[in-house]
Amino acid sequence: MALTAAVFSSHMVLQRDKRIAVFGTGTAGERVTVRIPELHTEEDCTVKSDGTWKIYLPAMKGGLSLTMTVEGSGT
């Protein structure tokens, strides 16, 4: 099951116009997808053998009331 690091939570603020690293843990080989639908952004990766994963979101413009979802292939 893919989980984000504790730093990622509701009502968080992300830096605009900079690449954003989203990271966490999961089961080795699991596919992880991070989406921000309102900005048409989707990136994915595979959990490494040490149980960690990291995705870089592209630099994006600012926005309000956006939703970031993180899904693992095992969840």
Side-chain angles (χ1 to χ4, degrees):
M1 176 168 74
L3 300 172
T4 58
V7 68
F8 299 100
S9 64
S10 296
H11 308 292
M12 64 185 285
V13 176
L14 299 175
Q15 178 70 43
R16 68 178 176 181
D17 299 325
K18 300 282 185 182
R19 284 180 55 201
I20 303 295
V22 181
F23 51 92
T25 59
T27 304
E30 180 178 11
R31 195 85 180 143
V32 178
T33 303
V34 176
R35 291 183 187 94
I36 301 179
E38 298 88 350
L39 298 177
H40 309 287
T41 299
E42 180 176 314
E43 300 291 333
D44 59 1
C45 71
T46 302
V47 178
K48 297 188 294 185
S49 60
D50 67 359
T52 63
W53 60 269
K54 184 185 286 188
I55 292 174
Y56 287 94
L57 298 176
M60 298 172 279
K61 296 295 178 192
L64 297 172
S65 299
L66 304 177
T67 302
M68 180 172 72
T69 61
V70 178
E71 295 178 346
S73 59
T75 57

